[in-house]
Amino acid sequence: MAANSSFPSILSWTPPPAPSQNLKVLLAYINARNKLDNVLRFFHNELEHRYLPVSLGRPVLTKKQYGEYLEALASMMTTYTITLLDVIESSEEDTIVFHAMAHGVSTMGVVYNNEYMTTVKFAPGDWGPRIIFMKEYVDSSKTTEFFKTHRAKVAEFERGRSREHVPR
């Protein structure tokens, strides 16, 4: 997977010819996210998900809560693509750290561009390794700006719809 050309970067990452089981799970998770598919199958039942920086005020999420969040996010996006720029794997720790860019467009036409550094830890699951811990460090300014703009456009759209239905 090479770096997306819409992001100016000299970084790019190509998967190894024989990826580890953990890396296969991570790549399948990224692929599912890019298709806006359900990703719960990649998570251990004891998943703990954290968004950083702490200044965003985001709670720690369980598997169920993170799944609900991603479902809501997918429903508000028309396109969404994560591009891996760098991946570092520690087989001794069952941990992968990756640097990625995400690009998407919301249903209201708001462009989403963000940069991530994410730590993922794996644990044995019923059918191979599953993600048990995920800590995503996001660009807090871009994240806040995107959601604020998207919500404002939704509110504007709803006001316009309510005016259309007012009897005159």
Side-chain angles (χ1 to χ4, degrees):
M1 291 179 205
N4 184 324
S5 62
S6 65
F7 299 110
S9 175
I10 59 169
L11 297 174
S12 65
W13 182 78
T14 303
S20 69
Q21 289 302 111
N22 289 346
L23 184 54
K24 286 179 184 177
V25 170
L26 177 67
L27 295 174
Y29 162 77
I30 298 285
N31 189 47
R33 288 281 311 267
N34 287 346
K35 294 178 181 176
L36 300 173
D37 283 347
N38 184 303
V39 295
L40 287 181
R41 66 188 177 276
F42 301 109
F43 299 129
H44 192 278
N45 287 333
E46 302 300 316
L47 175 73
E48 176 182 310
H49 183 280
R50 296 174 179 267
Y51 276 111
L52 297 175
V54 173
S55 63
L56 285 173
R58 296 294 313 265
V60 175
L61 301 175
T62 64
K63 177 181 179 178
K64 180 179 184 288
Q65 292 167 326
Y66 187 53
E68 290 168 351
Y69 171 77
L70 289 177
E71 190 174 300
L73 184 63
S75 73
M76 67 188 284
M77 302 301 285
T78 58
T79 64
Y80 183 83
T81 304
I82 297 171
T83 302
L84 292 173
L85 302 175
D86 196 18
V87 175
I88 301 168
E89 182 171 12
S90 169
S91 57
E92 296 162 6
E93 300 291 327
D94 280 326
T95 301
I96 295 176
V97 177
F98 67 87
H99 177 206
M101 299 296 283
H103 175 76
V105 179
S106 80
T107 55
M108 302 308 297
V110 180
V111 174
Y112 178 80
N113 285 316
N114 210 325
E115 185 172 12
Y116 301 85
M117 283 299 294
T118 304
T119 301
V120 181
K121 293 185 183 253
F122 297 84
D126 293 338
W127 299 282
R130 294 293 173 253
I131 298 168
I132 193 165
F133 177 81
M134 184 176 274
K135 181 170 53 174
E136 292 185 59
Y137 196 96
V138 301
D139 183 328
S140 56
S141 172
K142 297 267 187 185
T143 298
T144 302
E145 177 187 325
F146 170 78
F147 284 106
K148 180 180 174 184
T149 303
H150 178 80
R151 287 184 189 116
K153 288 196 176 255
V154 168
E156 182 181 320
F157 176 77
E158 292 298 325
R159 282 192 302 274
R161 282 184 47 190
S162 66
R163 278 187 240 132
E164 291 174 3
H165 294 69
V166 175
R168 294 180 190 213

